[in-house]
Amino acid sequence: MDFIPEIVLLLKTFQPKKIEIIGNNKISDTKINLFFQYVKDGEIKTDEEAMMHLYGNNKESKKNYNKLKSRLKEKLINATFFLDLNSTKHTDIQKSYYQCHKNWASTKILFGRGVKGSAVILAEKTIKKAVKFEFTEIVINLSRTLRLHFATMEGNKKKFNHYNNLLSEYMPILQAELKAEEYYEKLLIHFANSKATKSELAATAKIYSQDLKQYKNTKSYNYLLNSHTVFVLRYEIINDHHSVIRECAKALIELKAKPFSLKNQLFGFLIKQFSCYLKLGQYEEAKALVVECRDTLTEGTGNWFVFNHLYFCLLTYTKDYHLIDQNVSRVIAHPQLKFKNNRTKETWKIIQAYTVFLYEARKIDSIEKQSKFKVGRYLNEVPEFSKDKRGANIHILITQILIALARKKYDFIIDKTAALSRYTSRYLKKDETYRSNCFIQILINLPRGNFHKDSFQFYAKKYIKRLQEAPLSSARQSSEFEFIPYEVLLEYVVELCKE
C-alpha cells in the first residue's frame, strides 16, 4: 500500500479541479459540448459556421467563439490521456508504447513534487517494460533518472551500477537508431510532395546504406525498421524491383522474429513487395500477399487506404473486374475518408472515375453503389495546372476523355484534347511521366483520326510504339502510378472507336 497512500496524499495536497475531458459529459447542452458534438457529427466544418451556430452574428461573437475554441482545444488535449489503451485494436507494443510514455511523464511529475518512493517504483516497473519492447529512449531516460536517484538519495551502489551499465548498453543503440532515422528522413524529404522516383538520389542512398553497415550488430526494432527502409529506398530509386523485393524479405524476417507483434511496421515492407510484383507482372505473387497485408491493417487507417488503392490496381491488372465495385464502394463509403489528406481523397475520386469508365466500356456489369459519383460534374472539372499536382491531373484528364469516348461525346473530347496538348508541352517529358506522356499523345490523335479505329491508330502509331518500348516494369515512375495499365486502356479505346 506504500504506493497508493502516497499518491492519494499528493492528490489531497494538490486537489485537481476536475478532469477536463470531452465527449462523455452528462450535461450535453453547454456550448462547449455542443461545439464538440457539432464537429463530431460533421454539422460544422469552418470557424465561420461554428461561430454562427454557437453565437450568432454580433460584435461579441468572434471574441466569445475564440475563447470557447481555446477551451475545447484544452479539453481535447486532456482527453488524449484518457484514451482506452487496452483496446483490442492496439497491439501489445502499441499499448506498451503509450503506457510507458504516460508513466515516464508521471515519473517526472512525481520526482518533481518530491514523491520519490512512488516515482522509483513506477520508474523501475516502466523500465522493465521499455527494455522488453525495445523503447530505447525510455530506457535511457529512466536509467539516467534512476542512476541519479540511487547515487544521490540512497547511495545504493548495486542499483547505481545496474542503471549505469544499462545506460552504457543503450547509448550505442540510440546512436545507431538516430543515424538510421537521419538517413531515412534525408531521403524521404524528397518524396514528401511527390511520389516520383528521384534518380539523382541513387548515389546518396548507396552511401547511406554502406555507412549503416557499421551498425550491423544493432537489432532494436526501431533501428531495423529505419535501416531496412534506407536499404529498400536505395533500390526503389533506381527501379530495381527484384532487389526491393529481396531487401523487404530480409526486413520481414528480422521484424517477424521479434517476440512482439509489429504488424504496422511489417505493412510497409509487404506493400512495397506487393507494388513491385505488380510492376513486374508477377500477379500470382501479389495475390499471395493480399491476406498477409490485410492481417496487418486496421480498417480506416492511412495504410488501409493505401492497400486498397494497390488492390484496385491488382484487380485491374488481372482484369478481375467483378470484384472492383464491392472494393471501391467499401472504401468510398468509409467515414474516415473525409478526414484523410487531399492526395488520398483525390486518389479515390480518380479510382471512382476509372470504375465508371470500366462500366461505361461494359467491363463491369453494375456499379449501383457508385451512384453518388456525379459524372457530369467530374467531366466539367478543370484541373489546376501545377507541377506538384501533375500526377493526379494526368489521370483526371485521361479519365475525362475515356468516359466521354464511351458516351460518344466527341465535341467534348475535341475541346479537351486541346487542353491535353498544352499540358503535355508544358509539363510532360521523358522522365517519370514518360508512359503517361505517350498515352496522352495517343489520346490527342482521337479527333485527328475522326474517332475511327484504323485512322486513329494510324495517326497515333508513333506514340503507341513508344509506349510498347517502355513497359511498365522498366518505367521510371512510382509503382502505383497507373491505375490501369495504359496498354489495356488503349485496347478499350480502340474498342470504343467507330468501325
Side-chain angles (χ1 to χ4, degrees):
M1 286 288 291
D2 289 344
F3 185 92
I4 294 175
E6 197 172 24
I7 301 298
V8 170
L9 179 61
L10 176 68
L11 294 178
K12 183 178 178 180
T13 305
F14 298 95
Q15 181 68 43
K17 295 179 181 178
K18 62 179 179 179
I19 299 174
E20 292 287 329
I21 61 175
I22 193 75
N24 64 348
N25 303 59
K26 293 181 179 179
I27 303 174
S28 60
D29 59 346
T30 62
K31 274 191 165 51
I32 200 159
N33 282 285
L34 281 174
F35 192 0
F36 171 79
Q37 201 62 44
Y38 284 147
V39 175
K40 182 180 177 183
D41 296 342
E43 292 185 32
I44 56 175
K45 296 180 180 179
T46 66
D47 284 325
E48 289 74 17
E49 289 176 350
M51 189 165 60
M52 285 299 297
H53 270 73
L54 295 162
Y55 291 103
N57 187 15
N58 60 68
K59 61 181 182 179
E60 295 293 321
S61 293
K62 189 172 182 179
K63 179 181 177 181
N64 291 333
Y65 171 70
N66 285 335
K67 287 182 179 178
L68 185 72
K69 186 168 74 168
S70 179
R71 287 176 56 211
L72 178 60
K73 284 180 180 178
E74 288 180 11
K75 285 197 172 191
L76 290 173
I77 292 169
N78 289 339
T80 63
F81 289 91
F82 297 90
L83 295 174
D84 181 9
L85 301 179
N86 294 313
S87 169
T88 55
K89 293 180 181 179
H90 297 140
T91 62
D92 287 344
I93 193 170
Q94 287 175 319
K95 295 174 187 177
S96 298
Y97 177 85
Y98 297 131
Q99 192 62 60
C100 283
H101 281 81
K102 283 179 67 176
N103 287 358
W104 161 239
S106 296
T107 298
K108 296 300 288 183
I109 292 170
L110 292 173
F111 270 118
R113 299 310 312 173
V115 188
K116 301 186 187 305
S118 297
V120 169
I121 293 172
L122 183 60
E124 292 195 303
K125 175 184 175 182
T126 303
I127 202 169
K128 289 177 182 177
K129 182 171 285 191
V131 168
K132 177 182 177 181
F133 288 99
E134 301 176 6
F135 302 142
T136 306
E137 288 183 271
I138 294 291
V139 174
I140 288 174
N141 288 333
L142 287 175
S143 293
R144 290 179 62 202
T145 300
L146 289 167
R147 185 181 66 172
L148 175 66
H149 172 78
F150 288 115
T152 60
M153 301 305 297
E154 296 190 24
N156 189 324
K157 290 183 179 180
K158 182 179 179 180
K159 287 204 170 186
F160 170 83
N161 288 331
H162 171 71
Y163 291 112
N164 188 52
N165 292 337
L166 201 60
L167 189 61
S168 297
E169 177 187 348
Y170 275 81
M171 284 301 292
I173 297 174
L174 180 61
Q175 182 181 4
E177 289 181 357
L178 291 174
K179 183 56 67 176
E181 286 176 16
E182 176 192 350
Y183 287 161
Y184 164 72
E185 290 161 5
K186 280 184 173 179
L187 292 173
L188 260 289
I189 195 171
H190 297 279
F191 298 86
N193 295 313
S194 172
K195 291 187 177 181
T197 57
K198 305 284 196 257
S199 55
E200 67 274 10
L201 292 175
T204 302
K206 185 177 180 180
I207 292 170
Y208 290 168
S209 297
Q210 291 173 337
D211 189 50
L212 288 175
K213 289 180 181 179
Q214 66 180 297
Y215 305 109
K216 62 182 179 181
N217 293 325
T218 302
K219 298 299 179 182
S220 70
Y221 87 87
N222 189 41
Y223 172 76
L224 292 175
L225 175 64
N226 288 299
S227 61
H228 278 296
T229 302
V230 172
F231 302 151
V232 169
L233 276 169
R234 171 186 174 181
Y235 295 108
E236 272 192 304
I237 288 167
I238 59 175
N239 285 320
D240 185 347
H241 309 307
H242 293 288
S243 293
V244 169
I245 293 169
R246 183 190 69 239
E247 291 298 328
C248 286
K250 291 179 183 178
L252 290 165
I253 289 171
E254 292 202 273
L255 292 172
K256 286 179 180 179
K258 292 295 180 183
F260 39 80
S261 172
L262 291 166
K263 67 176 187 177
N264 292 334
Q265 291 82 355
L266 296 178
F267 173 79
F269 297 103
L270 288 169
I271 202 65
K272 287 180 186 296
Q273 286 186 319
F274 188 95
S275 62
C276 285
Y277 285 136
L278 284 182
K279 290 194 72 172
L280 291 169
Q282 297 178 4
Y283 303 134
E284 291 305 313
E285 288 82 351
K287 286 181 180 180
L289 288 178
V290 168
V291 173
E292 192 172 1
C293 283
R294 283 178 172 158
D295 285 344
T296 68
L297 295 170
T298 299
E299 188 171 309
T301 60
N303 285 345
W304 185 77
F305 286 100
V306 169
F307 168 75
N308 279 292
H309 172 187
L310 287 188
Y311 183 62
F312 172 84
C313 294
L314 175 62
L315 295 179
T316 63
Y317 288 18
T318 57
K319 298 187 178 180
D320 289 321
Y321 296 142
H322 62 289
L323 299 173
I324 285 178
D325 184 51
Q326 181 182 8
N327 178 65
V328 174
S329 296
R330 188 161 57 98
V331 177
I332 294 300
H334 201 283
Q336 284 296 318
L337 180 58
K338 64 183 178 182
F339 298 110
K340 299 305 173 186
N341 58 42
N342 289 334
R343 181 181 293 172
T344 299
K345 288 187 280 192
E346 202 159 53
T347 293
W348 282 96
K349 181 176 70 174
I350 292 168
I351 287 175
Q352 279 189 285
Y354 274 114
T355 304
V356 168
F357 166 70
L358 290 171
Y359 172 72
E360 298 280 353
R362 299 183 180 180
K363 306 301 175 184
I364 296 178
D365 294 332
S366 173
I367 55 166
E368 293 180 5
K369 295 179 181 179
Q370 303 296 321
S371 59
K372 292 184 179 181
F373 185 79
K374 306 299 182 184
V375 175
R377 182 185 301 171
Y378 183 78
L379 291 178
N380 288 322
E381 278 192 23
V382 179
E384 178 188 345
F385 283 68
S386 58
K387 279 193 174 185
D388 62 320
K389 293 187 68 179
R390 66 177 177 178
N393 290 343
I394 288 168
H395 290 289
I396 292 172
L397 293 166
I398 286 174
T399 50
Q400 286 176 333
I401 288 180
L402 294 175
I403 294 171
L405 179 63
R407 294 188 168 196
K408 303 187 186 304
K409 293 180 173 290
Y410 301 131
D411 288 342
F412 174 90
I413 295 173
I414 291 169
D415 292 338
K416 190 62 69 173
T417 52
L420 275 175
S421 297
R422 292 194 301 273
Y423 193 77
T424 187
S425 64
R426 290 175 63 190
Y427 296 125
L428 300 178
K429 301 175 183 178
K430 193 170 182 178
D431 53 10
E432 68 273 3
T433 59
Y434 180 66
R435 279 174 56 84
S436 297
N437 188 11
C438 292
F439 190 65
I440 285 175
Q441 292 290 356
I442 290 169
L443 294 179
I444 286 171
N445 281 283
L446 279 167
R448 194 178 177 194
N450 200 26
F451 303 97
H452 284 279
K453 293 181 180 180
D454 293 338
S455 298
F456 156 64
Q457 291 181 87
F458 173 78
Y459 287 115
K461 63 182 179 181
K462 177 172 71 174
Y463 296 105
I464 292 173
K465 183 181 178 183
R466 289 183 180 179
L467 182 66
Q468 293 168 341
E469 291 173 345
L472 185 60
S473 60
S474 62
R476 290 174 54 200
Q477 61 191 42
S478 59
S479 54
E480 66 270 38
F481 197 77
E482 291 179 29
F483 294 83
I484 303 174
Y486 290 137
E487 292 85 352
V488 175
L489 288 177
L490 178 58
E491 289 177 26
Y492 300 158
V493 169
V494 172
E495 288 176 12
L496 292 168
C497 284
K498 304 172 188 175
E499 292 293 341

